[in-house]
Amino acid sequence: MTKNKNIHFEVSERKILLRIVDLIMVFIGVYALSYCFDFEYIEVSVENSVALMLLGAYVTLFGTIFEIYDLQKASRIETTFKNTVLTASTVVLFYLLTPILSPVLPNERMQIAYLYLAIIVSILLWRFVYIHLIESPRFYKRVLIVGEISNIDSLVKALNTSDPNYKIVGFINSEESSNESVVFKGLPEFEAKDFLNTINKERISEILVASSNTEAIMAEVYHDLISLLERGFKIRDYTQVYEELLHKVPIQFVGKDFYKYFPFSRNNENKLYIFIQRAFDIVFAIIGLAIGILLLPFILVGNLIGNRGPLFYTQERVGKNSQLFNILKLRSMVVNAEANGVKWAQKNDSRITAFGMFLRRSRLDEIPQFYNVLKGEMSIIGPRPERPFFVNELSRAIPFYETRHIINPGLTGWAQVSTRYGSSVDDSLTKLQYDLFYIKHRSVFLDLNIFIKTLSTILYYRGQ
C-alpha cells in the first residue's frame, strides 16, 4: 500500500492562506490603481511603507471582526460578498481617521472611492478563486472513522458541522464482539477485513480512531493501524480532532481517565499572564464605565419609555472557587419577572421588555458589570457566571460542571462568542465544553480572539 498523495489544507493553513493572499491582493489592487490610472492617494513604495502596513493591519483586523476568515462563511460567495463590503467600508473609514499614519487626503476626493472599490474587487477576485478551487472536492480531507458504534453517531454529527473541507467518507466497526448493524444516513460502513483496500479505493487521507477502549479493537484492525502508522499515514484520536476542529472539550466522551482531558493551561498559574490579564481588566473596566456614563442619559430615557421601573438590578451569581457575589446589570425584564419561580430565560421571552431586548442585543445591559470587574469579582474574559439555583441543578446533571469555577467568571467568554444563549441542560453542556476549552487553552492570543469576536457579536446585534 502506498501513502495517499492527495493534497488538502488544514484549518490553520486555510486561515493563514486567506489572510496572506487577501493582503497580497489588496496591495496588488492599490498598485494597479497607480499603474493604470492617475491615482496618487497611496502608492506602493518604500516611502509609503508605514501607510501600507497600516492598511494591511486594518484589513486583517476588520476582516477578523466582520468574519471573512470564518471558514464556514468564507465557503459561501453571498456571505463573503457582504462581509467583504463591510470590511472595506470600515477599513477606508478608519484609514481616513488616522491622518498621521495614513497619507494626506488627495485633492480629488474620488480617489478615496477608487481605493474602496479596489479593496472590495481585489479581495472578491481571490475569494472567488478560493471558493471554486481550494473549496472544491479535490482538496477535501477524506476521513475514515475506525471505532465503536456507540461513539460514531455523536462524533459524526458534531464533525459534519465543523469544517466544510473535512469529509467523513465512512466508518469501520472495530469491536470484535459487536453484532450491531447500524446504518448512518449517508455514511457507509466498510468491512474490517478490507481496511487497507478501502484506504486506497476511497483515497483516504486521515484515519480517526473513535474508541474509548483500545483493548476492544479487534486484532486485525489493530495490526492494520500499526502497519499504516509505520508507513507514515496520518492517524489521530477522535478527542484530539474534536477539540481541534470544534474548539471545545468533548466531555461527553470522558470516562474514568478524565485527568487526560484536563491538562489545564499553565497560564492559570502563570504570574505574568495573570498580571497582564488583571491590568487589561482594570483598563477596560474604566473605559467601559466611562462609556456607560456617557450613554446613561439615553439609557435613562429608553428605560423611562420602554422599561418602566428601576434601571439597575442585582442578582446573586457563583464566582471563582464557587464563592457567591452580586452581579450588577441594567434591568431588561419586567419588574418581579420571577414572581412565579426561577426559570430559564428563553428565546423571545415574554418577560423581556421592548427596551430590555435592545439592551440585551446590543450588550449594553452588561455595562454595569465593569464595576464587578474593578472589584476583582469578575474578569473581562472568562466563563459567564451562573446563578446558584442553576449551578446546583446543572452540577447534578452534567459531569465536571463545577470545573468552570476554577477561574474568575467573565463579562464575555469563549462560549458566548461560539454558541447561542443557553436555555436548557443540553445548551449548558455545550457551553461547558467551550468554557473548559478556554480554561485549558487560555492565552493572550485566545483572549484577543474572544475580544474581537465579541465586537463582531455587538456589531451584528447577536446578543440575547
Side-chain angles (χ1 to χ4, degrees):
M1 197 202 92
T2 57
K3 187 177 177 180
N4 188 281
K5 299 295 184 182
N6 287 346
I7 298 174
H8 57 265
F9 294 93
E10 301 290 349
V11 170
S12 58
E13 292 172 337
R14 273 178 284 138
K15 287 185 175 181
I16 292 172
L17 183 68
L18 286 174
R19 292 176 186 275
I20 291 177
V21 181
D22 276 356
L23 292 178
I24 292 173
M25 290 300 294
V26 167
F27 293 144
I28 289 176
V30 172
Y31 178 78
L33 285 177
S34 304
Y35 186 79
C36 300
F37 306 99
D38 188 19
F39 183 77
E40 299 176 349
Y41 181 34
I42 177 173
E43 296 179 352
V44 178
S45 63
V46 177
E47 292 76 15
N48 286 327
S49 57
V50 173
L52 290 169
M53 284 191 290
L54 180 66
L55 180 63
Y58 281 160
V59 169
T60 301
L61 173 63
F62 294 113
T64 303
I65 292 174
F66 290 108
E67 302 176 336
I68 65 174
Y69 304 116
D70 182 304
L71 295 182
Q72 291 284 359
K73 294 179 173 63
S75 65
R76 301 191 298 269
I77 191 64
E78 64 280 0
T79 308
T80 298
F81 176 79
K82 180 190 72 173
N83 291 345
T84 300
V85 170
L86 288 172
T87 298
S89 303
T90 313
V91 165
V92 172
L93 175 62
F94 273 76
Y95 206 59
L96 296 177
L97 295 176
T98 49
I100 296 176
L101 298 175
S102 58
V104 178
L105 289 177
N107 294 325
E108 189 181 347
R109 295 295 193 259
M110 275 299 295
Q111 293 202 4
I112 298 171
Y114 297 156
L115 175 64
Y116 173 64
L117 292 174
I119 293 173
I120 293 175
V121 171
S122 57
I123 292 178
L124 285 180
L125 280 174
W126 147 237
R127 292 310 183 92
F128 184 83
V129 173
Y130 171 82
I131 290 171
H132 290 86
L133 180 62
I134 307 300
E135 285 287 304
S136 67
R138 70 169 66 92
F139 289 109
Y140 286 171
K141 177 180 281 190
R142 296 175 62 82
V143 180
L144 179 67
I145 297 181
V146 175
E148 303 154 7
I149 293 294
S150 56
N151 281 344
I152 292 174
D153 189 26
S154 55
L155 185 63
V156 168
K157 287 178 180 176
L159 295 181
N160 274 342
T161 61
S162 62
D163 178 8
N165 281 29
Y166 195 86
K167 298 298 178 184
I168 298 175
V169 175
F171 72 96
I172 290 176
N173 183 6
S174 66
E175 295 177 284
E176 183 103 46
S177 58
S178 175
N179 294 317
E180 295 181 70
S181 180
V182 180
V183 178
F184 300 121
K185 186 178 180 182
L187 190 65
E189 178 179 2
F190 299 101
E191 293 293 330
K193 59 182 174 60
D194 296 327
F195 190 180
L196 298 182
N197 289 333
T198 300
I199 299 291
N200 281 325
K201 184 179 178 181
E202 299 295 332
R203 297 178 291 111
I204 302 299
S205 50
E206 178 175 301
I207 294 171
L208 194 59
V209 180
S211 177
S212 55
N213 180 16
T214 53
E215 298 297 325
I217 298 178
M218 66 177 73
E220 183 181 4
V221 172
Y222 190 79
H223 179 270
D224 286 342
L225 286 171
I226 294 294
S227 176
L228 288 166
L229 184 67
E230 290 173 344
R231 288 171 171 80
F233 202 90
K234 192 168 188 178
I235 302 172
R236 295 205 286 172
D237 179 72
Y238 67 115
T239 55
Q240 176 191 358
V241 174
Y242 188 100
E243 204 168 312
E244 179 184 303
L245 292 184
L246 288 105
H247 301 115
K248 54 184 181 180
V249 173
I251 58 174
Q252 70 272 38
F253 300 129
V254 175
K256 292 182 179 179
D257 55 349
F258 63 90
Y259 49 85
K260 294 180 181 178
Y261 300 88
F262 301 121
F264 287 135
S265 172
R266 285 175 294 180
N267 284 330
N268 293 319
E269 298 178 356
N270 185 315
K271 296 293 189 289
L272 178 59
Y273 172 78
I274 292 172
F275 172 79
I276 292 172
Q277 186 190 49
R278 184 57 185 156
F280 176 86
D281 286 347
I282 292 172
V283 170
F284 274 88
I286 293 171
I287 294 172
L289 289 172
I291 293 172
I293 291 171
L294 292 175
L295 295 175
L296 188 58
F298 304 100
I299 294 173
L300 283 169
V301 173
N303 183 73
L304 185 65
I305 297 172
N307 235 359
R308 299 194 180 182
L311 179 62
F312 299 99
Y313 86 101
T314 60
Q315 196 175 68
E316 199 172 51
R317 297 290 175 99
V318 179
K320 184 178 180 181
N321 298 325
S322 299
Q323 296 294 313
L324 301 180
F325 71 100
N326 287 316
I327 198 170
L328 184 64
K329 294 189 73 173
L330 293 175
R331 185 176 57 85
S332 59
M333 288 189 174
V334 296
V335 179
N336 298 321
E338 296 185 337
N340 297 322
V342 179
K343 63 178 183 178
W344 295 96
Q346 302 289 333
K347 187 176 182 180
N348 301 321
D349 198 317
S350 60
R351 297 173 299 167
I352 302 175
T353 66
F355 185 63
M357 181 58 71
F358 166 74
L359 291 176
R360 287 188 171 215
R361 292 279 187 182
S362 61
R363 293 287 185 95
L364 290 175
D365 65 319
E366 313 283 4
I367 285 180
Q369 291 170 53
F370 285 116
Y371 174 67
N372 295 107
V373 173
L374 275 182
K375 290 175 67 179
E377 297 168 333
M378 294 178 62
S379 291
I380 298 295
I381 297 169
R384 285 294 295 159
E386 194 52 85
R387 300 173 63 180
F389 174 85
F390 293 124
V391 169
N392 292 333
E393 182 180 289
L394 294 169
S395 296
R396 289 193 295 268
I398 303 174
F400 312 108
Y401 188 81
E402 290 281 4
T403 312
R404 70 197 299 273
H405 298 135
I406 68 173
I407 65 172
N408 261 348
L411 198 150
T412 185
W414 188 237
Q416 280 60 51
V417 300
S418 301
T419 188
R420 60 192 180 92
Y421 189 84
S423 58
S424 67
V425 173
D426 287 340
D427 290 343
S428 295
L429 170 62
T430 301
K431 285 178 62 180
L432 176 62
Q433 290 178 295
Y434 284 113
D435 286 336
L436 293 181
F437 180 89
Y438 172 72
I439 295 171
K440 186 175 179 179
H441 298 280
R442 66 195 300 228
S443 64
V444 172
F445 178 79
L446 182 55
D447 287 342
L448 180 61
N449 193 1
I450 293 170
F451 184 75
I452 291 174
K453 286 180 178 291
T454 300
L455 294 178
S456 298
T457 301
I458 294 170
L459 291 171
Y460 282 111
Y461 204 56
R462 292 185 188 137
Q464 295 187 51

